[in-house]
Amino acid sequence: MSTQRPIDLRSDTVTRPSPAMRRAMAEAEVGDDVYGEDPTVDLLERRTAGLLGKEAALFVPSGTMANQIAVGLHAGPGDELICDARAHVYVWEAGGIARHWGVQARTINPHGGLIGLDHLRDKIQPDNEHYVRTRLVCLENTHNRAGGRVHPYDSVREVADWARSNGLAMHLDGARLMNAVVASGVPASEWASHFDTVSICFSKGLGAPVGSAIAGSAELMRKAHRLRKALGGGMRQGGIVAAGALFALEHHVDRLADDHANARLIADAIERAPGLSLESGPVETNLVWIAVDPGAGTAREVADRLREAGVLVSALGPQTLRAVTHLDVSRGQCERAAGAIVEVAEGMAARA
Ligand SMILES: *Cc1c(COP(=O)(O)O)cnc(C)c1O
């Protein structure tokens, strides 16, 4: 094991608040937010609504809760949402849509992972007692499991126009929407304009310790308050954590471009490393999904070797790894990680 602290590329959630962020949190003005009396939460919600071009926003503990509230707003027992088969709301939220709301998912397996209009046209169930009611389309941008890719803007617009003309609601899982904004140059409010509700995480690449938000119309957010309470997400002096999120919005958005450049550096190493390849094509943002050739070993083996070399990545499938850049890994550390990846892969290839 390297004696230095490991270079942690497992996720962009591993960041720790900087001293300046901690100061902002310590000094936050707070009150009881369940009474509507926390000025810092209130400010964060207004900022977030403004950023996303929506009437209102609601601060919640996690991105999962933001997505779950969205599903609860748009659908209920006997309803169906449409999403892709690798969407966070379907795969990684502990079956919440079924547990909380009695909603089922119709999943689509698009080539490359991003849903377009062509996948959707025939997916609305007939209006007939035999069927569930199709209510909602969920998109994810950037799309985590599809390699952190930015959903093509025109495709989002087409899907949204189609959904509206068919009476379906649209929800955007924007856990990493700001990565999409920085990578595409399309403002957050423009992306959000195609959706009834949008969730955004402050605790991913933006680097806040805790917190997400959901945004939408004032009426939807009034209902969202009740759903948040039902899920146990009402927070009292939430301003302490909201201050971290505000700090992140003010200081950590533009720098996401550095994470994207660092991810491309890692991606270049993957392309040079024998037995490893980019699972989802060129890297567009801060996520690098890596396929391990079975001839080279398993994902677990590669991850263990990298750990010994002082680099942490996630093994997220038998032959699948993920490396994520974020504000707690510098350019220099990413250069070292890139070198270690090539070295480990060459070592394993020599052994094979
Ligand atoms: C991380 C993530 C979430 C939810 O995040 P938590 O805050 O961990 O609940 C939702 N959607 C996507 C795409 C994510 O990557």
Side-chain angles (χ1 to χ4, degrees):
M1 184 54 122
S2 155
T3 50
Q4 279 165 312
R5 189 155 159 193
I7 300 167
D8 195 345
L9 302 174
R10 289 171 303 164
S11 175
D12 47 8
T13 56
V14 300
T15 57
R16 284 161 232 227
S18 63
M21 182 185 278
R22 283 178 188 267
R23 249 189 326 275
M25 295 174 73
E27 289 165 8
E29 243 188 273
V30 296
D32 189 328
D33 183 54
V34 174
Y35 294 170
E37 291 175 0
D38 190 304
T40 308
V41 171
D42 185 59
L43 179 59
L44 174 65
E45 290 179 343
R46 280 185 287 118
R47 282 272 166 85
T48 304
L51 174 73
L52 297 171
K54 298 295 186 197
E55 287 173 354
L58 185 68
F59 186 46
V60 294
S62 69
T64 297
M65 191 182 288
N67 284 341
Q68 290 299 319
I69 288 172
V71 173
L73 287 172
H74 301 303
D79 290 345
E80 185 167 77
L81 63 78
I82 304 176
C83 65
D84 80 87
R86 303 194 296 180
H88 195 283
V89 69
Y90 176 65
V91 180
W92 279 312
E93 299 190 7
I97 63 170
R99 291 175 184 237
H100 302 309
W101 320 117
V103 171
Q104 71 180 37
R106 181 146 192 199
T107 57
I108 296 172
N109 242 318
H111 180 73
L114 301 179
I115 296 180
L117 182 53
D118 288 344
H119 304 106
L120 293 171
R121 282 203 179 90
D122 60 349
K123 297 299 187 297
I124 297 178
Q125 302 288 10
D127 182 9
N128 166 319
E129 67 196 16
H130 291 85
Y131 297 100
V132 296
R133 290 163 304 195
T134 310
R135 280 289 160 84
L136 167 69
V137 177
C138 295
L139 300 184
E140 192 175 305
N141 196 21
T142 64
H143 196 300
N144 182 347
R145 191 63 189 80
R149 285 176 56 205
V150 179
H151 207 116
Y153 184 79
D154 288 339
S155 166
V156 169
R157 191 170 37 73
E158 272 176 18
V159 169
D161 291 348
W162 170 85
R164 285 219 171 107
S165 65
N166 285 284
L168 306 182
M170 289 283 292
H171 173 65
L172 175 61
D173 178 349
R176 295 188 183 80
L177 179 62
M178 299 319 291
N179 293 84
V181 166
V182 167
S184 66
V186 175
S189 58
E190 219 160 294
W191 287 110
S193 69
H194 300 290
F195 297 87
D196 300 286
T197 49
V198 178
S199 58
I200 180 173
C201 287
F202 304 114
S203 56
K204 298 271 167 88
L206 295 179
V210 179
S212 288
I214 175 170
S217 68
E219 194 196 336
L220 280 175
M221 290 308 104
R222 267 193 300 279
K223 293 181 184 160
H225 252 99
R226 188 178 287 262
L227 298 185
R228 182 181 71 175
K229 193 70 184 144
L231 293 174
M235 294 177 283
R236 300 296 179 171
Q237 283 73 36
I240 299 278
V241 276
L246 273 169
F247 186 94
L249 281 181
E250 277 161 26
H251 301 279
H252 295 165
V253 174
D254 293 341
R255 62 152 308 285
L256 291 172
D258 301 340
D259 295 345
H260 299 175
N262 289 341
R264 283 195 294 275
L265 188 82
I266 305 281
D268 288 345
I270 300 303
E271 289 186 314
R272 280 183 280 123
L276 302 182
S277 58
L278 295 174
E279 204 194 47
S280 314
V283 162
E284 298 179 6
T285 60
N286 69 325
L287 306 182
V288 185
W289 283 84
I290 304 156
V292 181
D293 185 311
T298 65
R300 188 70 266 156
E301 284 167 348
V302 178
D304 287 346
R305 296 282 179 102
L306 282 170
R307 179 184 288 272
E308 285 161 20
V311 177
L312 305 184
V313 298
S314 293
L316 292 174
Q319 301 301 136
T320 306
L321 295 168
R322 191 186 68 176
V324 185
T325 57
H326 52 77
L327 82 173
D328 280 5
V329 287
S330 65
R331 181 78 181 174
Q333 287 177 309
C334 289
E335 282 165 0
R336 288 219 310 278
I341 287 168
V342 174
E343 233 171 81
V344 161
E346 284 174 348
M348 290 181 73
R351 181 208 61 176

